[in-house]
Amino acid sequence: MGKIQVYFGNGRGKTSAALGCAIHEASGEGSVIIIEFLKKKNEAETEFLKRLEPEIRVFRFQKTKQNYEDLDEQGQHEEQMNMKNGMNYARKVLQTGECSTLILDEVLGLLDYGIIPEEDLLAMLDLRSEGTDVILTGRVLGDALREYADTVYEISVRKELCE
């Protein structure tokens, strides 16, 4: 089975670390799919990442430019459906072995918000093939997923400069 890496914690840099892994994988002739969750739409970032195609492909199923927590109940419900579509796509990627590395950016937040249960994420990860590694990012890491992962990195702030 492919390896599972997790980058979690309250510090900044989890996505950057995952992107570093993506660049490393793509430079070694691998292919990477990134699925973003709980991120507000950032046109400049999306356009930049599109330049890395076809080796690194980025997908975002959410439609809003707002943060999830800033949406009203109806908006959150719509975005939950969009994020579940993103999880269905991730499941398909793992079943077909479509890439050598799948990054599920901020997927741990889906567990925090109760959008998906941890058991569903673990069951989906079991679908990965020998040739597909998975990288998960987010703020909070549950015990079951911590035990399941091959490598866990906790990103924290040791010192923060105030301006």
Side-chain angles (χ1 to χ4, degrees):
M1 299 271 283
K3 301 291 184 203
I4 303 289
Q5 288 183 34
V6 178
Y7 293 91
F8 85 102
N10 289 321
R12 296 175 49 96
K14 298 175 290 290
T15 298
S16 298
L19 284 173
C21 293
I23 290 168
H24 178 76
E25 179 69 17
S27 69
E29 304 206 13
S31 61
V32 179
I33 292 177
I34 301 170
I35 302 175
E36 295 181 335
F37 299 96
L38 297 169
K39 299 235 178 189
K40 65 182 180 181
K41 203 172 206 175
N42 182 332
E43 304 287 340
E45 187 177 279
T46 301
E47 286 305 310
F48 177 79
L49 291 173
K50 287 214 177 282
R51 289 190 256 167
L52 302 175
E53 291 183 353
E55 292 84 2
I56 299 175
R57 294 178 289 154
V58 180
F59 297 91
R60 184 179 186 283
F61 289 81
Q62 291 168 252
K63 306 296 183 213
T64 185
K65 291 184 179 184
Q66 292 178 277
N67 287 323
Y68 176 78
E69 59 271 4
D70 296 333
L71 297 171
D72 62 20
E73 189 175 326
Q74 176 64 31
Q76 285 186 354
H77 178 72
E78 290 173 13
E79 288 296 37
Q80 287 175 13
M81 299 309 294
N82 294 332
M83 288 183 270
K84 287 178 182 178
N85 287 336
M87 290 300 292
N88 287 334
Y89 179 63
R91 189 173 290 107
K92 176 187 160 277
V93 167
L94 290 175
Q95 287 173 325
T96 61
E98 189 175 333
C99 63
S100 53
T101 299
L102 173 64
I103 298 174
L104 301 176
D105 191 24
E106 292 299 332
V107 72
L108 300 180
L110 300 184
L111 306 176
D112 297 340
Y113 284 113
I115 297 169
I116 62 166
E118 188 173 47
E119 300 78 36
D120 287 2
L121 179 57
L122 292 171
M124 184 187 76
L125 294 173
D126 281 337
L127 300 173
R128 73 190 184 285
S129 66
E130 186 176 308
T132 303
D133 294 335
V134 181
I135 299 174
L136 313 172
T137 71
R139 292 192 180 276
V140 179
L141 180 62
D143 291 336
L145 193 51
R146 181 186 309 265
E147 290 301 315
Y148 188 85
D150 296 294
T151 308
V152 175
Y153 299 93
E154 184 173 3
I155 310 294
S156 63
V157 178
R158 297 287 185 197
K159 180 178 179 181
E160 187 171 358
L161 297 175
C162 298
E163 293 183 32

